Amino acid sequence: MRPDLEYNQNGDVTASSEKLDKVEVASDSSDHGSESIIQAVVGDIELREHNIPKDDIVPPEAPAALDWDGPDDPDNPKNWRFGNRVFQTLPPALFSFVVTFASPVYTTATQQIQDEFNVPLEVAIVPLTTHTLGFALGPMLAAPLSELVGRRYVYIISFGLFLVFTMASGLSPNVAALCVLRLIAGCLGAPALAVGAGTVTDVWDTHKDGGVAAMFFIMAPFLGSSLGPVFGGLISYNQTWRWTMWLVLLIGGPMFLFFIPFMKETYKPVILKKRAIKRGTPLPPQPRGAEALRKVLMVTLLRPLHMLVTEPIVIALSLYTAFIFGVLFLFFAAIPYSYGTQYRFDRRESGLIFLSNIVGVILGSATFGVIDRTIYKKRYEHAIANGQQPAAELRLISAMIGSIGLPLSLFWFAWTCKSSVHWIVPSLSIIFFGWGMILIFLAAATYLVDTYQYLTAASALAANGLLRYGFGAVFPLFAIQMFTNLKIGLATSVLAIISTVMMAVPFVFYRYGKYFRERSAYETLKG
């Protein structure tokens, strides 16, 4: 059996051809449906957590120091019973849900924070910004930590501390403490988002039976972000804002305590290392000190930042998805303001409006699957039948379709969110926002994976995530000023106009993506 992880003569961790095949799903998968697309997304993120520089990849004939005993090795997570594999997939997905749920959950109670701490609304929104900023910073620690102690301990340590600092946030004596504690909680919650994708690829063969599990993991953060304001509005209607923090503990605490005794380690190098120690097998040398730190910094920080300023594909798609994410987080402040001023909605009623976005996310995920199994698959197979390399730009079909939903939604909301129009009309527009958002995000992620090879794709996704959460942190800061000074119609129309201009991104790269791929400074799919 081909090795999954190997060690070269210098003790550097390397990747085998089996793992590389998971990234190159377009070239050797017999099923090019939605499962292979999700494999492309989560499989390459999993490589990122190995921190394997591209230059250290060895040919498949290199010997393995540690590997499974055979294809039926019972210690291999992919050989566990189906029910056990399902159970081991739940913690990262549900932890990601809770972490993203916690970010906007208190935004419908900002008036209470204003009254208690005697601060303006703009300051009361800052804890949303700091918590979201933590999502951008936390993954920088998650990957090297999982390399040392495995995924299970990363979940236990980080999520446990996330709950502790969420509790501390609920006990904050002032708004400054709330901002700092929420920042720390965001950083500690982020590893569930960063490491969880690796667990999916540890446990499932997404070419065969893991597509649904992978899709569930990808949808969980979007559902958490949308449900946060819904439950936050319901609970803060009769309780203080601190109960929004207690709600996170009530959801995440029992879940955490339930999973701890049953969670298993799924990370192959850690499983093999423990087994080798038990068997008395010598362990291969591993990079230490400055060399190990250099590799971690290169993969988790320096390369993503470099790509974010030098690669047109990464820059354009990251800006597009970051803008969409920014608008989503801007809505956490703008929707309560808009419905409060126009329809006299209270916190509870304003929070329920976000159910429309949940409907849109679910419909968008279903649309993505339909597009993938019809339009994408047909064009992919046509290229193969004609002896051609299928273009990576085929992944952008979903984004081109989804891009229509954003300006449609925003213009619709801008022109109908007023007291003379029934509140249900602007609420329906938000469905199209969620629909377009998830289509564009999934298309952009799979296109980056197909375009860039090996760890370079992981760095491209890391750059995308860094900018995306950065925009999500900043946009709420000017939401109220923008909607107050420009009024709801003009403010939302400005966002709609920007989204209309940015519609060109997937269309331009669908037409000229090959040109930029061939001129990239990084290894890319050249066909």
Side-chain angles (χ1 to χ4, degrees):
M1 178 177 177
R2 294 179 302 180
D4 182 29
L5 285 179
E6 302 159 0
Y7 298 83
N8 61 24
Q9 294 179 350
N10 297 323
D12 296 336
V13 184
T14 58
S16 73
S17 58
E18 179 181 5
K19 183 57 63 180
L20 301 185
D21 289 343
K22 288 188 176 182
V23 182
E24 297 179 295
V25 292
S27 62
D28 45 301
S29 171
S30 59
D31 177 10
H32 303 291
S34 58
E35 290 189 1
S36 63
I37 290 187
I38 300 304
Q39 171 66 51
V41 177
V42 299
D44 199 79
I45 296 175
E46 197 262 5
L47 275 178
R48 176 177 177 236
E49 292 152 17
H50 291 161
N51 296 324
I52 311 168
K54 178 183 64 180
D55 295 336
D56 287 348
I57 296 175
V58 299
E61 62 270 14
L66 293 176
D67 201 2
W68 304 122
D69 292 337
D72 299 322
D73 191 329
D75 289 334
N76 186 345
K78 289 185 172 64
N79 293 329
W80 294 347
R81 290 179 300 176
F82 179 81
N84 193 13
R85 288 186 289 147
V86 171
F87 186 85
Q88 298 304 322
T89 308
L90 291 178
L94 294 178
F95 290 172
S96 296
F97 171 85
V98 174
V99 168
T100 52
F101 176 91
S103 190
V105 68
Y106 92 107
T107 53
T108 51
T110 49
Q111 182 61 52
Q112 295 179 355
I113 295 175
Q114 290 180 256
D115 297 339
E116 180 173 340
F117 297 137
N118 193 28
V119 295
L121 179 58
E122 294 80 4
V123 176
I125 294 175
V126 172
L128 169 63
T129 290
T130 57
H131 194 272
T132 308
L133 185 61
F135 293 163
L137 302 177
M140 297 179 187
L141 299 175
L145 186 60
S146 68
E147 187 84 4
L148 294 174
V149 300
R151 307 200 198 282
R152 179 176 182 269
Y153 286 109
V154 167
Y155 293 139
I156 292 175
I157 295 170
S158 65
F159 194 75
L161 290 175
F162 162 78
L163 293 174
V164 170
F165 278 90
T166 297
M167 179 179 65
S169 300
L171 298 172
S172 298
N174 52 62
V175 73
L178 180 60
C179 292
V180 173
L181 291 170
R182 291 268 291 171
L183 172 63
I184 299 173
C187 290
L188 292 169
L193 300 169
V195 180
T199 297
V200 175
T201 55
D202 289 342
V203 175
W204 299 95
D205 182 348
T206 50
H207 288 305
K208 298 178 180 178
D209 56 0
V212 174
M215 181 64 78
F216 176 68
F217 172 78
I218 292 173
M219 286 182 60
F222 288 97
L223 294 178
S225 297
S226 299
L227 278 174
V230 175
F231 284 90
L234 291 174
I235 199 167
S236 64
Y237 182 73
N238 294 313
Q239 303 292 338
T240 69
W241 69 268
R242 298 180 190 274
W243 268 94
T244 60
M245 300 295 101
W246 309 152
L247 177 61
V248 176
L249 295 178
L250 289 173
I251 296 174
M255 181 189 304
F256 177 65
L257 294 175
F258 172 76
F259 280 121
I260 283 179
F262 305 106
M263 289 174 62
K264 296 182 179 180
E265 181 56 59
T266 64
Y267 189 37
K268 180 177 180 178
V270 173
I271 295 175
L272 293 177
K273 180 179 179 180
K274 290 181 178 179
R275 190 167 73 174
I277 294 174
K278 184 177 180 180
R279 293 176 175 179
T281 304
L283 295 174
Q286 299 186 34
R288 298 179 180 273
E291 179 64 16
L293 179 61
R294 181 191 69 81
K295 293 183 178 183
V296 169
L297 291 177
M298 177 62 69
V299 174
T300 62
L301 182 61
L302 299 182
R303 185 183 292 162
L305 291 177
H306 184 261
M307 296 184 75
L308 200 54
V309 297
T310 61
E311 289 292 299
I313 294 176
V314 176
I315 295 169
L317 289 176
S318 296
L319 283 174
Y320 194 19
T321 55
F323 170 76
I324 297 169
F325 213 69
V327 174
L328 173 65
F329 274 69
L330 178 144
F331 275 166
F332 294 150
I335 284 182
Y337 169 83
S338 300
Y339 281 81
T341 56
Q342 297 301 310
Y343 303 109
R344 306 303 177 192
F345 274 24
D346 55 32
R347 292 185 294 273
R348 174 183 56 183
E349 295 165 331
S350 296
L352 290 173
I353 300 301
F354 287 92
L355 289 173
S356 297
N357 195 62
I358 296 173
V359 174
V361 169
I362 295 173
L363 292 177
S365 299
T367 304
F368 181 82
V370 172
I371 293 171
D372 175 49
R373 290 193 174 274
T374 55
I375 301 174
Y376 172 80
K377 184 176 181 180
K378 181 179 179 180
R379 298 190 181 186
Y380 186 101
E381 292 177 346
H382 177 75
I384 294 294
N386 287 276
Q388 300 174 349
Q389 169 69 50
E393 286 69 37
L394 293 175
R395 298 295 196 189
L396 295 175
I397 295 173
S398 295
M400 292 189 291
I401 295 174
S403 67
I404 301 171
L406 299 181
L408 171 64
S409 169
L410 294 172
F411 276 124
W412 182 344
F413 186 89
W415 297 338
T416 61
C417 189
K418 47 189 175 183
S419 57
S420 60
V421 179
H422 194 277
W423 62 267
I424 194 65
V425 178
S427 301
L428 292 174
S429 71
I430 301 174
I431 295 176
F432 288 91
F433 182 85
W435 176 80
M437 174 182 66
I438 194 70
L439 279 174
I440 294 169
F441 172 79
L442 289 173
T446 50
Y447 177 57
L448 289 174
V449 169
D450 276 8
T451 295
Y452 295 96
Q453 304 296 294
Y454 313 136
L455 270 183
T456 309
S459 296
L461 290 175
N464 184 278
L466 182 64
L467 198 63
R468 189 171 70 250
Y469 285 118
F471 273 47
V474 171
F475 269 52
L477 295 178
F478 59 79
I480 300 303
Q481 300 94 318
M482 181 179 182
F483 275 66
T484 300
N485 296 329
L486 298 181
K487 307 305 179 184
I488 298 171
L490 182 56
T492 313
S493 294
V494 169
L495 299 175
I497 292 171
I498 296 174
S499 70
T500 302
V501 173
M502 299 194 79
M503 280 180 64
V505 171
F507 289 91
V508 168
F509 283 97
Y510 184 81
R511 177 66 179 83
Y512 299 105
K514 182 178 179 180
Y515 172 86
F516 291 105
R517 284 190 283 114
E518 291 178 343
R519 287 158 180 77
S520 172
Y522 291 88
E523 183 178 358
T524 64
L525 181 67
K526 303 301 184 182

